[in-house]
Amino acid sequence: MNVVTFSGPPSSGKTAVILKTIAALQQRKLQVGVVKFDCLYTDDDELYQKAGVPVKKGLSGSLCPDHYFVSNIEEVVQWGKKQKLDLLITESAGLCNRCSPYIKDIKAICVIDNLSGINTPKKIGPMLKTADIVVITKGDIVSQAEREVFASRVSTVNPDALVMNVNGLTGQGAFEFSTLLYDKADNIETVTGKKLRFSMPSAMCSYCLGETQIGEEHQLGNVRKIELGDD
Amino acid sequence: MFNQTELKNKKISEIIAEYPYTENFFKEQKLVLNDQEKNLKEIFQNLSLEAREDVVFDLEQFTASLLSYIENMQEFLGETDSVVKTLSILAGKDKSGYPENYKQLNIKSGEIISIVGPTGSGKSRLLADIEWTAQGDTPTERKILINDQIPDKKWRFTGGKKLVAQLSQNMNFVMDLSVKEFLHLHAESRLVEQEDALVDRIFEEANQLAGEKFAAEAQITSLSGGQSRALMIADTAILSSSPIILIDEIENAGINREKALELLVGEEKIVLMATHDPVLALMGDKRIIINNGGIADIITTTAEEKKLRRELQILDKLLGDLREDLRYGKKLGQISQQLTAIKLIN
Ligand SMILES: Nc1nc2c(ncn2[C@@H]2O[C@H](COP(=O)(O)OP(=O)(O)OP(=O)(O)O)[C@@H](O)[C@H]2O)c(=O)[nH]1
Ligand SMILES: [Mg+2]
Ligand SMILES: [Zn+2]
Ligand SMILES: [Zn+2]
């Protein structure tokens, strides 16, 4: 089975792109399943179900969804194998700009949209910087110039990535993108023993652990102070 | 060109002096450069844990990434091989699997080709085949040649340079910038020389195309539909890196469509235009008829049709003037006895 991880900011078009891509993969008679990782809520699983795609979801609750992802990915891979999938896709809500769920030797895709603003590529950190392929969506609503500027920013942040435009609504570009996703040679049995591409900051401060009192003496662990200057 | 080890040991100021655009790279990578006289090795040794997290990469990954960036940019700047003189489309098959009704269509730069066919007939697929420089590896099995050769794979994947630029009715500006700031931003991303002159020229051309003039200080999001379209077309003609432009209808309001097309082909672009408006469609040298996913026919615009276009232009102008009169509260009169003599069916 092949495994591909998708990540990207909320509402960037991950599900839309994955669904259009699966439609193209099914033409090649490939069995594709999806596991969606999110924080508190998602109804993506219903969308996949409607499209007849085997799907599971995992909600991380108060944890960073990417931390939750690593702790569960092996079980998810085994689920995919039991379903006899050719390709297992994981979709992660890119809610934590400090982390990314990408694993070495597992294809990593970042979905980002033209509407999110030209500083977004810089802001979202490891999720974009360490991806193999960057898919840019919503090109249908912005001007040609804005698309060009946006793509060039993406390439500056991640010069090694393949950058593609896919339209989540019309599916334009999805067939082409799908040709990059499955290769028999990339089959794996397990992800145990593999490594994350980017070590996840623990991001734990005393407030993560339940502290509610405000004040210097209550701030433990990973604490950063704002720089306000003297003026 | 510096290799990776050299990049680690050169001072930041030396790297920027050699490749000025790398300044932008450092900025986008969020590497804080307090002292440009240090080299990357020293900078990474002294990074705080937090700053390391911001940068994501370690020294090895960072310099590898920088090297890729420099390679991409050198290629982008030095490109001479990306001039597209001819685009050829080699026949594939339609949705039912029948071969398309032509062998090879060659389109030269400066040509306008119209694309007609019902919605869902395969116009988008044709465009996607061109954009992907298909090699029999798409559902239509078409092949695309550029300058009579199998195109370089770079057209498929680069963030910097795409084969096809697109203009369509539902595109808007979304950035909060003035016209001038916006054009400068685009020009900077293209690393063009003589940026100011170029920006001025685009601004002037756009104002020529627009029915109502606009100022360089106007916010792009506040432009009217016609003004936006005019600015997008002038900008795409002059500043887009893409040699092929796809236009999906140009509404006949607030913009001089003929001048717009002349501007595009004047810049040696190939223009593909999906339209159902005869005034526009007949501006094309040829028109491609699409049906059931395949190219059903390719029609060269005849002399008769060119004459018809003159007539249509007159009608177009008449209607346009009437709209204008209506808008400014004038009373409308009959155009001519001749026209009223034409019998309308129904
Ligand atoms: N116009 C346009 N809309 C798009 C495109 N791609 C996605 N959308 C729309 O954007 C919205 C969000 O898309 P989703 O696919 O749900 O985004 P997502 O990244 O999966 O969102 P989460 O999983 O909730 O983080 C939906 O309304 C889509 O229809 C596109 O290319 N163009
Ligand atoms: Mg989703
Ligand atoms: Zn996190
Ligand atoms: Zn915390």
Side-chain angles (χ1 to χ4, degrees), chain A residues 98 118 129 140-148 151 155-157 159-160 163 172 175-176 198 201 224, chain B residues 29 53-56 65 68 72 125 132 137 157 159 162 165-166 171-175 182 186 235 240:
Chain A
R98 287 266 144 212
I118 49 169
K129 279 191 177 184
D140 53 328
I141 359 190
V142 306
S143 69
Q144 174 66 26
E146 285 161 301
R147 279 196 296 277
E148 288 183 20
S155 281
T156 307
V157 172
D160 288 311
V163 180
Q172 193 180 337
F175 168 84
E176 288 75 8
F198 177 62
R224 246 203 241 207
Chain B
Q29 295 289 342
E53 277 180 15
D54 272 340
V55 177
V56 176
S65 195
S68 300
N72 292 350
R125 184 68 255 164
W132 188 242
D137 55 354
F157 300 124
K162 297 277 178 203
Q166 288 192 45
M171 284 172 189
N172 296 297
F173 290 117
V174 294
M175 289 178 185
F182 168 76
H186 191 196
D235 167 84
S240 173

